[in-house]
Amino acid sequence: MKTLVAIFAHPDDESFGIGGTLARYSKQGVSTYYLCATRGESGTVDPEMMKGYDTVAELRSNELECASRELGLAGVHYLNYRDSGMLGSEDNRNAASLFAAATDDVARRIIGHIEELHPDVVITHDQFGGYGHPDHIKLHQATMRAYELMYGIQFGTNEKGLTTVVSTAAGSSQAIPRLYVTAFSRKFLALAVRLLPLAGQDPHKFGRNKDIDLVQISSWFVPITTTLNVRDYIPYKERASACHISQRPPTQQPNLVARLAFRRAQHLETFSRIYPPLKKGEHEETDLFA
Ligand SMILES: [Zn+2]
């Protein structure tokens, strides 16, 4: 029995980005868990969606439970930090926020869950935090730190700003889970940057809060080492994404061009393997457990 643990910051990161991958592995019999750092407290929510809920955290935990059922997850675990919101927002300064937490404290909480779940594969955010969200970046750093503390692997940053393995502990006999970060398809980003202006949308101000700069994101380079075809699992991903209705799933964007771009791209989900590092001449993978 194999185990996969996805470590992301918010309720919805598991569905919008890699829902096809999580559905694929759970349907194939892999015990698939979501370790979610926060309850998405800072997400803006239409007041009418708050009916029946006292807090945004309650609403979004409920949406995540729904998504977890659609994806067939074995369980959702929380790190119990508070959502920090986008960089510069008031929520960054909340003492309970992920942003304000010490990286080692976050790493220790992650270790507790890794020790309990014994994953064969771990997935987390890339070093740029996907679209630059401070919680995503913090969680990337904390996951690397957890690997340092648990397995003696030292990570560094190369000239392109990418996290790379500098050294591994010699003679370690422990089985170290394969470590992946999510990687946007550059083809998809280039397409979106080209098409959005045609639909009257500024690619610098994307998303429902207009705080996502697709042009900047497309300048970041995360090498794709692993491409998964999840075509057969798109219905699960779409139903899971629809659970996060308060966050307006990408395939339900009011903008037709954005919606079509997402639909076109969503049968392939792409990752970058951090550990074990890619060997020279190694081919692109099509399976996280290869
Ligand atoms: Zn997120």
Side-chain angles (χ1 to χ4, degrees):
M1 185 69 136
K2 301 255 185 240
T3 300
L4 184 156
V5 175
I7 308 176
F8 293 116
H10 310 108
D12 72 19
D13 291 325
E14 84 298 337
S15 293
F16 293 173
I18 61 154
T21 298
L22 298 185
R24 170 176 151 174
Y25 284 115
S26 56
K27 303 295 169 192
Q28 287 177 353
V30 173
S31 295
T32 304
Y33 291 89
Y34 183 27
L35 181 50
C36 186
T38 76
R39 291 175 191 264
E41 293 86 344
S42 301
T44 40
V45 171
D46 292 335
E48 61 188 85
M49 291 196 179
M50 287 299 297
K51 278 190 192 128
Y53 298 101
D54 292 329
T55 62
V56 173
E58 228 177 75
L59 163 73
R60 298 203 56 195
S61 309
N62 203 52
E63 289 179 344
L64 178 52
E65 244 173 69
C66 165
S68 162
R69 278 193 301 273
E70 296 294 354
L71 296 174
L73 300 190
V76 174
H77 294 211
Y78 286 97
L79 290 181
N80 290 317
Y81 290 100
R82 195 177 184 285
D83 184 353
S84 315
M86 288 301 272
L87 198 63
S89 79
E90 196 64 31
D91 291 312
N92 292 176
R93 284 192 289 274
N94 190 306
S97 73
L98 182 57
F99 189 73
T103 305
D104 274 15
D105 179 68
V106 186
R108 274 191 288 271
R109 291 194 200 184
I110 290 171
I111 289 170
H113 292 276
I114 289 181
E115 283 176 346
E116 183 192 335
L117 298 171
H118 297 291
D120 302 283
V121 167
V122 168
I123 307 172
T124 190
H125 297 285
D126 70 78
Q127 46 277 10
F128 304 111
Y131 54 89
H133 196 296
D135 281 338
H136 297 179
I137 295 170
K138 183 65 164 276
L139 212 48
H140 173 83
Q141 293 164 347
T143 304
M144 300 307 122
R145 182 68 181 138
Y147 265 64
E148 286 182 354
L149 294 171
M150 287 187 92
Y151 308 118
I153 298 172
Q154 297 294 319
F155 296 94
T157 306
N158 72 9
E159 68 285 354
K160 287 178 181 147
L162 298 171
T163 300
T164 50
V165 172
V166 173
S167 68
T168 51
S172 167
S173 58
Q174 284 193 87
I176 301 173
R178 298 162 74 83
L179 176 60
Y180 290 88
V181 296
T182 48
F184 278 125
S185 154
R186 295 174 66 74
K187 266 189 235 150
F188 161 65
L189 283 170
L191 182 73
V193 166
R194 214 172 62 233
L195 290 182
L196 284 171
L198 301 178
Q201 257 211 7
D202 183 353
H204 290 280
K205 296 190 173 108
F206 187 69
R208 66 198 299 262
N209 299 319
K210 304 207 180 305
D211 50 7
I212 298 173
D213 184 346
L214 289 181
V215 179
Q216 186 184 27
I217 295 168
S218 64
S219 74
W220 292 332
F221 175 68
V222 180
I224 290 170
T225 65
T226 312
T227 300
L228 297 193
N229 189 328
V230 297
R231 195 182 290 282
D232 295 346
Y233 302 91
I234 289 174
Y236 299 103
K237 179 182 185 172
E238 290 196 329
R239 283 201 299 275
S241 295
C243 289
H244 296 287
I245 191 67
S246 74
Q247 297 304 300
R248 191 179 287 157
T251 49
Q252 293 179 20
Q253 288 275 331
N255 184 308
L256 180 70
V257 174
R259 211 159 63 225
L260 289 177
F262 272 106
R263 279 198 192 280
R264 196 166 179 257
Q266 72 173 349
H267 70 284
L268 295 178
E269 291 179 351
T270 46
F271 301 87
S272 190
R273 198 178 82 205
I274 304 273
Y275 184 88
L278 226 59
K279 289 195 273 297
K280 245 203 172 89
E282 194 179 333
H283 291 299
E284 201 172 281
E285 298 174 320
T286 54
D287 184 356
L288 298 175
F289 292 85

